[in-house]
Amino acid sequence: MNTKNKFRFASIIIFSLLLNITLKAQNYDEALIGEYTLPELLVTQNKKEVTTVEQWEKVRRPEILKLFEDHVYGQVPEDFDNIRFKVTHQDKKAMDGKATLKQVAITVERNRNAVTINLVMFVPNKVKKPVPVFLVINHRGMKTMDATRQNKDGFWPAEEVIEAGYAIAGFDVTDVAPDNKDKFAQGILEELYPEQLEMENGMRALGAWGWCASRAIDYFEKDKLIDAAKVISVGHSRGGKASLWHGAQDKRVAIAVSNESGNSGAALSRRNFGETVERITQTFPHWFCPNYRQYGGNEDKLPVDQHMLLALMAPHAVYVASAAGDLWADPKGQFLALKEALPVFELYGIRDTLPDEMPEVNRQIINSNTGFHNREGQHNMTPYDWQQFIRFANAYFKL
């Protein structure tokens, strides 16, 4: 076989493999989903039914949290030797006097090593008491959160949030774990928690981003302008996955917002629709603990599914946002997961309900502790989404 034919043959093989992966990962036909059985939410590993809040909090919730740690996201270490906060820049007349800008360096030390996180935040000046804060896990770079406001991005619409009476804060995930499968460890994992890299259930990027969000809350608890009991964790796509895991881990999160987090976020893993565990662990292995790879194409063996992650927010609040044009993230699978999580909220006397069928596009559902919308459009976090987050937070906090 000459060189030209060898190249053509190799190209055909590569194209066929890529086509096979794509077709296997991308089912958008509800008729091809097939039957699946979700893990029992309110039955312990010892097969005992959970009927009380005490059973949930002392037995089942810790079980589920540990299962997600061991099989999906990895551990989230809590120990460190020291944490310091330094306001590196402050402008009390930002946004033409409507807000106070603070840029805060959060330095965390462990075993004589240190990592610094750069937090950007705006606080409304018109509110004279501590305010709730939207905390964004931002994977789109510092320009998205431009402190000068020369660049205004609908992904982080600071002006609109300030006008609504909320503070808005955010950090770049690169400070703790770069969103790159070859460089993700160049942050807290190599500097502070290198032992996690040796563990099959060790923390990886999503856990690191949530860890960082918790350090931001540590700062909020020291800032007299912020009501640290009203923290709203927000993330889009991969950030939405991290936001949910962060909210499950850190009980200081009042509302966890998942915007189009899709597979391994708010969407049920056992639905054969859009992105799959196999595809996501092949493409983004650095997001999850190594143990998760074994469930690619083998989701039925997973001891958890994503309705269980949403349920871990009870009795606090969780908001799930989708986009009708983002089938890759499986809007219906996200809606169904939220619906399947409701029995845990019911244990706390929270009688939230969701319709049997997917709500029509652009209809928002606001319950006491759960909310949902599926807007028109594609994969993004937009001002429309933010309007719905604010409406839900207003209702939840009774503002």
Side-chain angles (χ1 to χ4, degrees), residues 83-100:
I83 185 168
R84 303 192 308 273
F85 310 110
K86 182 180 179 180
V87 178
T88 58
H89 179 69
Q90 180 169 298
D91 180 2
K92 294 183 178 181
K93 296 183 179 180
M95 297 183 185
D96 297 323
K98 294 181 179 180
T100 293

Side-chain angles (χ1 to χ4, degrees), residues 74-75 184-185 188-190 192-204 288-291 293:
Q75 306 172 49
F184 75 94
I188 67 168
L189 285 165
E190 286 185 347
L192 304 185
Y193 303 106
E195 68 278 5
Q196 294 291 321
L197 295 170
E198 305 300 320
M199 301 177 184
E200 292 298 299
N201 66 342
M203 180 169 69
R204 295 300 187 266
F288 311 99
C289 72
N291 278 339
R293 289 193 296 259

Side-chain angles (χ1 to χ4, degrees), residues 300-317:
D300 286 344
K301 297 298 182 181
L302 254 176
V304 291
D305 211 315
Q306 300 311 107
H307 65 304
M308 301 164 85
L309 179 63
L310 300 180
L312 292 176
M313 278 306 300
H316 299 294

Side-chain angles (χ1 to χ4, degrees), residues 99-265:
T100 293
L101 162 67
K102 285 187 177 184
Q103 292 175 275
V104 184
I106 303 172
T107 301
V108 184
E109 299 174 355
R110 183 177 187 259
N111 295 337
R112 298 182 180 180
N113 292 325
V115 168
T116 296
I117 303 153
N118 298 290
L119 186 72
V120 179
M121 60 184 292
F122 288 92
V123 184
N125 288 335
K126 70 178 182 180
V127 183
K128 302 306 179 184
K129 62 180 182 179
V131 297
V133 57
F134 283 96
L135 171 60
V136 180
I137 298 172
N138 173 32
H139 65 281
R140 290 192 174 179
M142 288 300 291
K143 185 178 180 181
T144 300
M145 307 179 298
D146 184 9
T148 70
R149 306 314 294 151
Q150 293 180 13
N151 177 64
K152 296 180 181 179
D153 193 321
F155 188 90
W156 202 75
E159 283 75 11
E160 289 79 359
V161 174
I162 291 297
E163 189 61 34
Y166 291 82
I168 185 170
F171 61 88
D172 184 348
V173 300
T174 303
D175 282 351
V176 285
D179 188 16
N180 182 291
K181 64 182 179 181
D182 298 317
K183 300 178 180 180
F184 75 94
Q186 297 175 4
I188 67 168
L189 285 165
E190 286 185 347
E191 297 298 326
L192 304 185
Y193 303 106
E195 68 278 5
Q196 294 291 321
L197 295 170
E198 305 300 320
M199 301 177 184
E200 292 298 299
N201 66 342
M203 180 169 69
R204 295 300 187 266
L206 292 182
W209 302 344
W211 176 95
C212 184
S214 289
R215 305 293 74 79
I217 297 177
D218 292 342
Y219 168 73
F220 296 151
E221 292 180 329
K222 304 294 184 181
D223 193 320
K224 295 180 179 179
L225 299 179
I226 300 298
D227 186 343
K230 296 178 179 176
V231 176
I232 307 142
S233 176
V234 180
H236 165 70
S237 191
R238 62 206 68 185
K241 305 179 206 300
S243 177
L244 291 174
W245 183 228
H246 170 227
Q249 288 276 340
D250 194 330
K251 292 186 177 181
R252 296 175 297 175
V253 176
I255 304 173
V257 176
S258 155
N259 190 77
E260 298 164 42
S261 61
N263 186 277
S264 306

